[in-house]
Amino acid sequence: MNKPKMAAEKSASRVLMLLSQLERLNEEPKVSDKDAIRQITGKVLHLIQTQEKTRKEVVSKGSGGMEVILSSLENTRDLQTNLNVLGILNELLTVGGGRRTGVFVSKGGTAILLQLLVSSSKDPPANEELMILIHSLLFKVGPKDKKFGVKARLNGALNVTVNLVKHNLHNYKLLLPCLQVLRVYSSNLVNAVSLGRSGALEIMFDIIGPFSKKSTTLLKVALDTLAALLKSGMNARRAVDRGYLPTLLTIYQDWHRNDTRHRHVVIRKSILGCIKNITNIKLGRKAFIDASGMRILYNASTECLPVRTLDPLVNTSSLIMRKCFPKNRLPLPTIKSVFLHPLPHVPAGGPVAQLYNQPPGVDDVVDESDENEATEVDTENDTENEEDETGHKTQNDDIETDINKLRPRQINMRPFDELRVYEHFCREFTENFEDNDFENPRSFIPLSSVNPELHHGPIIIPTTPTSLGPQNRCSPQGDVLLPNSDRSSVELDSISISKSPDGKSDCDLVYSLGRLVLDGSVNGGSVDGSQEDGGEQADLEVPDTAALLPLHDPDLYLEMVKSTRSVPAYTEVAYPDYFGHVALNLREPILERAYGVQRIKIFQDIERLIHPSDIIDKVVYDLDNQSCPVIDNGESLKFNSKFESGNLRKAMQVRKFEYDLILNSDINSNHYHQWFYFEVGNMRPGVRYRFNIINCEKSNSQFNYGMQVLMYSVQDAINGRPQWVRTGSDICYYKNHFSRSSIAAGGQKGKSYFTMTFTVTFQHKDDVCYFAYHYPYTYSMLKMHLQKLSALSTAQIYYRQEDLCETLGGNSCPLLTITAMPESSSNDHISQFRSRPVVFLSARVHPGETNSSWVMKGTLEFLMSCSPQAQSLRESYIFKVIPMLNPDGVINGNHRCSLSGEDLNRQWQNPNTELHPTIYHSKSLLQYLRATGRTPLVFCDYHGHSRKKNVFMYGCSIKETVWQTNVNASTVDLHEDLGYRTLPKLLSQMAPAFSLSSCSFVVERSKEATARVVVWREIGVQRSYTMESTLCGCDQGKYKGLQIGTNELEEMGAQFCLALLRLRRFTSPLELHNHNSHLLDMENDLIDTRSIPNITSNTTYVLDEDEPAFLEEVDYSAESNDENDPDPEGYLQDNHALPDPNSDSEISHQDSLN
């Protein structure tokens, strides 16, 4: 039983003995030893071929076997000995896998093989068996050696292999390993250029050809080699100049026609790979179009679509066609915003100054740069110390590494005399309440002012397509809304809404809402008893939603609209804003995306180029030409966005039921296209309408991962369902053929816009529907809610509303102070009242992040409620709340900027009192609080997040920031209170939508001017946060798999309040008075510092986001195929959190931005 084992041990020891003899002969080589070396290597080869254990023995640690074998190969010139040694190496590396190959490379084996290859070729004819063995080994070793390409070039091995291929085109046995090595050579760009000059391209086209069942393996390797060569732009140009692209298309067609059983899909894909690399350059794309490549690949791909196994061909063809689709500029006169607001002064430098200094017509030039084309390598100046960075994680250069900058600065930036004016906003600290009657208390509420004189002219509530057509919207002067011929305009002041006990509104309301054909669901009739000719009129049943919407009142909303100033001077009110939104009781799941839907949409776009006669290309809505009526034949949808927070610039009908939509840039800007809010009418029920928003800028979106658009149907609202609902199918987001100007892209060339497409089937005839990016929340709605909230105040609530400042657009920025009234005017009660810590909250600095306003609404409603928890919270803190930091941006439908054209959340370091008044005065108020010893205990800025799920926080930590860098810091430098983690931990325990694993506390350089970082660093607020709420939904907790709604957002705002209430339990009385002490950790489980995230998040000029990279993987190879497309926001990477080495805590995906 033991004989085989004993034999193996004997053979193993024998091979070591032979290697020892070989080592001695190598050390003292003699001519007479040639035969001995030949015999020994032959015996070793035999043992290795017959006994696996001998292979392991040769490459085992400490054996030195690999060094001896390589020494023999390097020192001998005997052909048979070389064949023996190469045979040994071939056996070792064939079975041993990567570890043995790694040992071979580390011992210098690659260079020895290359030297042998070159030396053996100098005495032609070269031995065929020797060449086969050398190339077979080089093919195995090359991919494992990071410097293989450089070594091969320096040793002169490139031309040797090329010449072997050239002279052995019909010698399959030698040709195959040589082609395999050529492919590895070509993975180095410098080598690819050199091989192209040596005629490698021409040789490859001598090998590849039409469909054949013979030598398919050889053909596959030749095509892969050709594809690697064509990654060089120089070789791609050479291929175009020699007319190889039409040849490749012809070959592909031939294989497509003849490979009916799909047995050679890999060869067909390799042909497409060659075409793809040629079309990476502009010249190649032009040649592709000239050779009818679009039609060829489109027709072939269409035939492949029904066969799932052919998806790789369809996807690669899709990528090629999209890349070659001729670049066009957006069909706009300028990409600057339609609206312009004069600034008091233009700041020197920066995007706004650039925008103002541009001559007309140069802001959107079609950029023909090659986005995917690599920079051409100059072989003359090539350095020989090339490093392969693959597999090395790049250090995030955006993380702040200066310890001095990370330390909070405890100095006043402004003299106290300048800050004294803000005492007016902090009267609660000096109020003595002597005049208050605590026995018969009355609420302490100064009402907000409403100035109806600010608005002139009629305001219309658009609800019916007969009055909403673009041709009926404006006079030739464009400044007064003209009534429709069959109805008179409704003056805002004349609208009176009274609700009947049965839930129906009176005739005045019916008339003010306009006419609507209701599919026969109600009887038509004239309001005044007469029927007008040529149309029907219906009494609209409008339910009374006062019980469901206690903070909404249409009458009051219209009053608020009067005092709202917009740059376009809007005279219309969107129906959803007027009537309100009742949150759905049912849950809306994240949409499961059908496989291949994006590919189908892309092919439909490609059809426009192939079948241009099918395209209508009719403009049906255009803000750039408001004075020119749009010709309407009654078959097109009607659009409108001329109301508060509306954003739709242009609508074009491209097919009967398909429309391209263009969003307006932020005012005084030429980009930031994301927020949309518009009205659609004149639809047919039961028809699938496709809408394409074609000028999106971000490289990815949650629309690719189950997020749906929001729709509000007027018909449904009238029928008792006044609510925004998630809608749309076939939703996807992908790069299109519209070129972004480098001016708008911050100097980056070759960038494209992206398309967000969705399909909707309307349920009602002649309905009026509204679409929005997220649940709209207008400035007028905020004013209405604040006035209604003030009316809810009781005697126990101290509520004060005042205007912090006036914005650039002339709108007020509300500041709220909320706390509990003191029990009496006694010194003890007044002292307790004044000693309450301050919590400072803000929201909506970015207009498009409407979810932050809904969270703020939940916070304010909780603060003003009569619950015991709310009263306890008011007794614990004094709340300073700025619910909307950017009213102008919200009003005018901006996505990110204020009227200054700048992101206000990048102005906190040095805000300008004229250009950034809300930020300037917010910061000054915070500085005043610090100067008077009332530094807030908590600062939180509410935001929305478009590319991550759940709700989470960003905070600031010196320790966690330094841990992400290579900076050496002393223990003293890294000493900090861990209290910044308490509130997020509490929220993770209490709020079902909150995700602690998504939180980050790293400070980045690009975020140094944001509210979170400035308040932490300059004001000294340790618990300074940005709270990000998803625009999509949740992937964990109670709401996992569901899209987020207003109920969940408002709940989050209330849960934030409850977390603050619990936070009081974990802070000492001393800290409540002076917030510089350490957190008293009452519950050890609240502070978990074991898992520290690893953050990387690059940024760029164009879309300097408060968001990290999109973390969910996209199978772009199967869908969008943007495999070479960097992220426009820094063109960010997926990053994985790394745990602390001393911890076994779970790894979480995180990013750090505000």
Side-chain angles (χ1 to χ4, degrees):
M1 293 294 294
N2 295 327
K3 285 184 179 180
K5 183 176 179 180
M6 294 175 61
E9 291 176 354
K10 184 177 181 180
S11 62
S13 59
R14 186 181 177 195
V15 79
L16 291 178
M17 180 186 68
L18 290 171
L19 289 174
S20 178
Q21 294 177 11
L22 187 61
E23 184 179 16
R24 287 196 299 272
L25 292 174
N26 288 336
E27 290 174 354
E28 301 176 2
K30 298 178 182 177
V31 177
S32 59
D33 293 338
K34 183 186 299 184
D35 292 337
I37 294 174
R38 185 185 305 159
Q39 291 177 3
I40 292 173
T41 54
K43 291 177 181 178
V44 172
L45 176 60
H46 174 74
L47 288 173
I48 288 178
Q49 288 174 337
T50 56
Q51 296 289 341
E52 169 61 25
K53 189 171 180 63
T54 59
R55 301 173 192 164
K56 296 178 181 178
E57 198 75 27
V58 170
V59 294
S60 63
K61 273 189 177 182
S63 70
M66 185 67 76
E67 292 94 326
V68 173
I69 293 169
L70 290 176
S71 176
S72 300
L73 186 65
E74 185 177 20
N75 295 324
T76 185
R77 292 294 175 266
D78 180 64
L79 176 61
Q80 187 58 51
T81 301
N82 284 336
L83 291 174
N84 290 341
V85 174
L86 290 174
I88 294 169
L89 291 172
N90 190 54
E91 291 291 334
L92 292 175
L93 300 185
T94 299
V95 180
R99 194 189 69 82
R100 292 182 184 178
T101 305
V103 172
F104 177 86
V105 172
S106 67
K107 303 300 182 182
T110 306
I112 294 172
L113 280 179
L114 291 169
Q115 291 167 6
L116 178 61
L117 172 65
V118 174
S119 62
S120 301
S121 66
K122 291 180 180 178
D123 301 320
N127 182 273
E128 181 177 320
E129 185 179 359
L130 181 66
M131 293 295 105
I132 291 173
L133 282 172
I134 293 175
H135 282 89
S136 297
L137 284 169
L138 287 174
F139 173 62
K140 295 173 183 176
V141 170
K144 301 292 184 180
D145 190 341
K146 294 179 180 180
K147 295 186 178 181
F148 180 77
V150 177
K151 293 175 182 177
R153 186 167 66 254
L154 293 179
N155 279 281
L158 302 184
N159 288 332
V160 173
T161 303
V162 170
N163 289 330
L164 280 172
V165 172
K166 190 181 299 183
H167 295 99
N168 293 275
L169 290 177
H170 301 291
N171 185 347
Y172 176 89
K173 190 175 179 181
L174 176 59
L175 186 58
L176 180 61
C178 289
L179 286 176
Q180 290 173 327
V181 174
L182 271 182
R183 185 175 65 185
V184 181
Y185 288 160
S186 303
S187 61
N188 179 291
L189 192 60
V190 180
N191 287 354
V193 173
S194 177
L195 289 169
R197 290 173 175 170
S198 300
L201 287 179
E202 291 77 1
I203 296 173
M204 294 304 107
F205 278 95
D206 288 338
I207 299 172
I208 64 175
F211 176 80
S212 172
K213 295 181 180 180
K214 297 180 180 180
S215 304
T216 53
T217 302
L218 181 69
L219 181 59
K220 172 69 169 60
V221 174
L223 286 167
D224 289 344
T225 305
L226 177 60
L229 290 167
L230 291 172
K231 285 184 177 179
S232 157
M234 189 176 295
N235 286 340
R237 283 190 287 274
R238 183 177 285 108
V240 173
D241 292 341
R242 285 163 172 73
Y244 290 150
L245 185 55
T247 302
L248 285 170
L249 287 169
T250 302
I251 293 173
Y252 181 75
Q253 278 184 299
D254 187 64
W255 278 86
H256 172 75
R257 281 193 299 264
N258 291 284
D259 186 23
T260 55
R261 296 188 178 182
H262 312 307
R263 292 179 175 177
H264 304 292
V265 174
V266 290
I267 291 179
R268 292 156 68 181
K269 187 179 178 183
S270 294
I271 300 172
L272 290 175
C274 297
I275 297 172
K276 185 187 76 169
N277 289 342
I278 293 178
T279 54
N280 277 341
I281 64 171
K282 181 171 59 177
L283 192 64
R285 293 192 287 271
K286 182 179 182 302
F288 180 83
I289 295 293
D290 293 342
S292 300
M294 294 289 281
R295 187 177 299 276
I296 291 170
L297 292 193
Y298 175 81
N299 291 336
S301 300
T302 303
E303 295 173 8
C304 292
L305 280 173
V307 184
R308 187 76 175 261
T309 56
L310 300 183
D311 280 353
L313 304 181
V314 176
N315 296 330
T316 307
S317 298
S318 171
L319 171 61
I320 295 169
M321 289 186 285
R322 288 173 56 204
K323 188 165 47 177
C324 295
F325 204 110
K327 292 284 186 181
N328 295 321
R329 60 169 290 167
L330 289 171
L332 297 172
T334 172
I335 57 171
K336 299 174 186 175
S337 174
V338 176
F339 310 114
L340 176 67
H341 181 78
L343 299 178
H345 70 273
V346 178
V352 180
Q354 184 185 34
L355 192 72
Y356 270 77
N357 294 330
Q358 288 168 8
V362 301
D363 66 330
D364 189 19
V365 180
V366 175
D367 193 341
E368 294 293 343
S369 300
D370 295 327
E371 179 177 0
N372 296 319
E373 183 176 5
T375 303
E376 199 57 63
V377 179
D378 182 359
T379 54
E380 300 298 326
N381 300 322
D382 174 54
T383 61
E384 303 302 346
N385 297 318
E386 297 177 18
E387 295 289 341
D388 187 345
E389 299 294 338
T390 305
H392 292 274
K393 193 168 185 178
T394 57
Q395 180 70 38
N396 180 9
D397 295 331
D398 195 31
I399 295 179
E400 182 58 74
T401 57
D402 189 338
I403 297 294
N404 293 323
K405 288 186 177 181
L406 288 173
R407 289 197 189 98
R409 292 180 287 182
Q410 302 295 333
I411 58 172
N412 282 319
M413 301 301 293
R414 295 173 59 190
F416 184 73
D417 288 343
E418 293 183 16
L419 297 173
R420 195 182 297 277
V421 294
Y422 295 94
E423 183 179 359
H424 169 74
F425 298 115
C426 300
R427 296 197 299 273
E428 65 276 6
F429 296 118
T430 56
E431 179 72 35
N432 54 27
F433 298 96
E434 290 179 354
D435 297 333
N436 281 64
D437 184 358
F438 288 94
E439 294 182 1
N440 298 294
R442 304 176 68 181
S443 55
F444 193 85
I445 310 169
L447 292 177
S448 59
S449 60
V450 177
N451 185 3
E453 301 302 323
L454 292 176
H455 190 91
H456 303 281
I459 290 185
I460 302 302
I461 304 170
T463 62
T464 166
T466 59
S467 62
L468 295 185
Q471 70 274 26
N472 295 325
R473 293 205 177 277
C474 54
S475 66
Q477 292 79 21
D479 57 353
V480 180
L481 186 66
L482 294 181
N484 193 28
S485 58
D486 63 349
R487 57 164 288 182
S488 60
S489 63
V490 181
E491 293 281 350
L492 177 67
D493 295 332
S494 71
I495 296 179
S496 175
I497 301 174
S498 60
K499 301 181 178 63
S500 320
D502 61 356
K504 296 183 181 179
S505 55
D506 60 9
C507 293
D508 290 336
L509 174 61
V510 174
Y511 185 77
S512 69
L513 292 179
R515 304 176 183 82
L516 192 63
V517 180
L518 299 180
D519 294 328
S521 58
V522 295
N523 296 324
S526 173
V527 173
D528 57 8
S530 62
Q531 178 71 40
E532 296 184 15
D533 295 335
E536 296 183 13
Q537 197 169 5
D539 290 350
L540 309 184
E541 296 187 6
V542 183
D544 185 355
T545 57
L548 297 173
L549 297 172
L551 296 187
H552 193 92
D553 186 319
D555 274 331
L556 181 57
Y557 184 79
L558 294 179
E559 286 299 311
M560 297 299 106
V561 171
K562 291 180 182 180
S563 59
T564 297
R565 294 177 178 269
S566 63
V567 173
Y570 291 131
T571 59
E572 302 179 29
V573 178
Y575 187 94
D577 303 329
Y578 165 76
F579 197 74
H581 158 70
V582 178
L584 287 172
N585 290 325
L586 57 89
R587 300 289 172 80
E588 297 176 293
I590 291 174
L591 184 68
E592 185 176 347
R593 178 160 152 175
Y595 179 83
V597 62
Q598 184 164 295
R599 184 178 60 197
I600 293 171
K601 298 299 181 184
I602 292 169
F603 271 69
Q604 290 174 358
D605 291 349
I606 293 170
E607 287 176 5
R608 299 188 190 188
L609 183 67
I610 297 174
H611 305 296
S613 59
D614 296 342
I615 304 304
I616 299 173
D617 201 20
K618 172 187 174 184
V619 176
V620 295
Y621 180 73
D622 192 356
L623 284 182
D624 290 284
N625 294 288
Q626 298 184 60
S627 60
C628 300
V630 175
I631 300 175
D632 179 28
N633 57 6
E635 295 294 322
S636 304
L637 293 177
K638 297 180 179 179
F639 294 84
N640 181 37
S641 62
K642 291 181 283 188
F643 45 79
E644 186 175 349
S645 294
N647 190 320
L648 177 66
R649 180 171 186 167
K650 191 172 186 177
M652 296 160 290
Q653 186 177 15
V654 292
R655 295 183 178 98
K656 188 173 183 179
F657 300 114
E658 182 179 352
Y659 293 81
D660 281 353
L661 310 178
I662 299 177
L663 305 181
N664 192 24
S665 303
D666 286 3
I667 292 177
N668 280 324
S669 168
N670 56 13
H671 54 286
Y672 297 119
H673 310 105
Q674 188 165 334
W675 168 257
F676 57 86
Y677 184 17
F678 57 88
E679 168 196 318
V680 177
N682 200 40
M683 66 280 291
R684 296 184 187 179
V687 172
R688 287 172 56 85
Y689 287 91
R690 178 183 171 185
F691 298 96
N692 312 305
I693 299 175
I694 62 174
N695 64 331
C696 301
E697 293 172 320
K698 293 188 177 183
S699 67
N700 211 334
S701 168
Q702 281 287 336
F703 284 119
N704 271 337
Y705 301 91
M707 178 172 158
Q708 293 176 282
V709 299
L710 283 148
M711 186 180 80
Y712 191 107
S713 165
V714 173
Q715 179 74 63
D716 284 343
I718 292 167
N719 292 337
R721 298 184 299 276
Q723 50 208 193
W724 288 98
V725 295
R726 299 276 187 174
T727 191
S729 60
D730 296 346
I731 300 175
C732 50
Y733 188 98
Y734 55 89
K735 185 173 13 175
N736 61 34
H737 63 281
F738 290 105
S739 178
R740 288 181 64 193
S741 165
S742 60
I743 297 173
Q748 298 180 77
K749 294 185 177 182
K751 296 298 175 185
S752 297
Y753 286 105
F754 290 76
T755 292
M756 194 284 283
T757 180
F758 61 98
T759 300
V760 172
T761 302
F762 298 102
Q763 301 301 314
H764 307 292
K765 181 181 179 182
D766 293 329
D767 195 0
V768 175
C769 293
Y770 292 79
F771 291 99
Y773 178 67
H774 198 68
Y775 300 94
Y777 191 102
T778 65
Y779 174 67
S780 297
M781 193 182 299
L782 170 69
K783 293 191 294 181
M784 174 189 67
H785 285 162
L786 293 183
Q787 186 146 324
K788 297 285 282 185
L789 277 173
S790 68
L792 298 176
S793 184
T794 65
Q796 289 77 33
I797 301 176
Y798 181 100
Y799 176 90
R800 189 175 74 249
Q801 177 181 337
E802 49 206 329
D803 293 341
L804 176 67
C805 61
E806 187 177 272
T807 66
L808 273 173
N811 297 287
S812 62
C813 178
L815 168 67
L816 311 180
T817 302
I818 304 174
T819 188
M821 290 289 287
E823 293 183 28
S824 72
S825 58
S826 68
N827 289 337
D828 288 345
H829 288 154
I830 296 300
S831 176
Q832 186 277 335
F833 175 87
R834 294 176 181 175
S835 64
R836 294 171 187 168
V838 175
V839 172
F840 201 108
L841 306 178
S842 62
R844 206 68 183 280
V845 70
H846 295 143
E849 296 168 7
T850 59
N851 49 354
S852 65
S853 282
W854 289 99
V855 176
M856 178 59 75
K857 180 174 180 284
T859 295
L860 293 176
E861 287 187 22
F862 183 90
L863 286 174
M864 295 299 292
S865 69
C866 298
S867 69
Q869 295 97 329
Q871 179 62 21
S872 179
L873 184 63
R874 291 190 294 266
E875 292 172 354
S876 302
Y877 304 106
I878 294 174
F879 287 87
K880 293 288 184 183
V881 184
I882 304 176
M884 192 171 284
L885 277 167
N886 191 352
D888 290 341
V890 172
I891 293 166
N892 293 286
N894 284 6
H895 170 64
R896 194 168 186 84
C897 299
S898 69
L899 293 185
S900 69
E902 298 167 292
D903 180 351
L904 290 182
N905 203 36
R906 293 298 184 277
Q907 311 305 324
W908 278 81
Q909 271 187 332
N910 189 28
N912 183 282
T913 184
E914 291 183 312
L915 296 177
H916 326 116
T918 61
I919 306 302
Y920 179 86
H921 292 291
S922 298
K923 183 178 181 180
S924 297
L925 177 57
L926 284 161
Q927 289 175 327
Y928 172 79
L929 289 171
R930 191 190 70 175
T932 55
R934 296 182 177 90
T935 301
L937 176 70
V938 173
F939 171 86
C940 190
D941 190 20
Y942 293 3
H943 281 252
H945 206 291
S946 69
R947 297 195 297 170
K948 285 185 73 175
K949 291 183 170 68
N950 310 312
V951 181
F952 50 93
M953 276 182 160
Y954 295 123
C956 302
S957 165
I958 298 176
K959 185 178 296 184
E960 296 193 32
T961 302
V962 171
W963 283 353
Q964 303 306 313
T965 68
N966 296 322
V967 174
N968 293 321
S970 66
T971 305
V972 175
D973 289 331
L974 298 183
H975 180 72
E976 67 179 343
D977 187 348
L978 298 177
Y980 64 89
R981 278 183 164 262
T982 309
L983 188 58
K985 182 70 175 181
L986 287 168
L987 283 169
S988 71
Q989 295 173 351
M990 302 170 65
F994 194 87
S995 170
L996 185 63
S997 64
S998 296
C999 296
S1000 173
F1001 305 94
V1002 173
V1003 180
E1004 295 178 309
R1005 295 189 182 99
S1006 62
K1007 308 301 176 293
E1008 288 180 346
T1010 60
R1012 166 179 63 102
V1013 177
V1014 170
V1015 172
W1016 171 71
R1017 180 179 293 164
E1018 297 185 18
I1019 309 300
V1021 179
Q1022 180 198 34
R1023 299 176 184 84
S1024 179
Y1025 306 103
T1026 295
M1027 186 164 71
E1028 299 272 4
S1029 300
T1030 179
L1031 290 160
C1032 177
C1034 298
D1035 58 12
Q1036 54 86 46
K1038 174 182 174 182
Y1039 302 131
K1040 182 177 181 180
L1042 299 176
Q1043 296 187 76
I1044 203 159
T1046 55
N1047 271 342
E1048 291 76 29
L1049 292 169
E1050 292 183 46
E1051 177 193 62
M1052 187 65 233
Q1055 292 287 1
F1056 182 83
C1057 293
L1058 291 173
L1060 288 174
L1061 187 59
R1062 286 192 62 190
L1063 178 68
R1064 183 188 61 171
R1065 295 170 47 209
F1066 303 107
T1067 48
S1068 67
L1070 177 61
E1071 185 175 11
L1072 289 175
H1073 183 69
N1074 180 4
H1075 314 143
N1076 297 321
S1077 64
H1078 292 290
L1079 177 72
L1080 297 182
D1081 189 4
M1082 311 289 282
E1083 295 182 8
N1084 291 330
D1085 66 329
L1086 282 181
I1087 306 298
D1088 182 5
T1089 59
R1090 294 176 300 169
S1091 181
I1092 303 300
N1094 183 29
I1095 306 301
T1096 60
S1097 177
N1098 304 318
T1099 55
T1100 63
Y1101 167 87
V1102 186
L1103 292 174
D1104 196 11
E1105 294 290 358
D1106 284 330
E1107 328 187 330
F1110 183 77
L1111 297 182
E1112 299 179 49
E1113 292 186 3
V1114 188
D1115 185 6
Y1116 275 118
S1117 63
E1119 287 291 291
S1120 184
N1121 292 304
D1122 287 337
E1123 54 191 22
N1124 294 318
D1125 178 52
D1127 190 312
E1129 273 91 56
Y1131 301 100
L1132 310 155
Q1133 311 165 17
D1134 286 358
N1135 306 295
H1136 302 275
L1138 296 179
D1140 183 55
N1142 299 321
S1143 167
D1144 59 353
S1145 58
E1146 64 181 6
I1147 296 177
S1148 59
H1149 292 258
Q1150 304 197 26
D1151 282 72
S1152 117
L1153 292 163
N1154 286 336

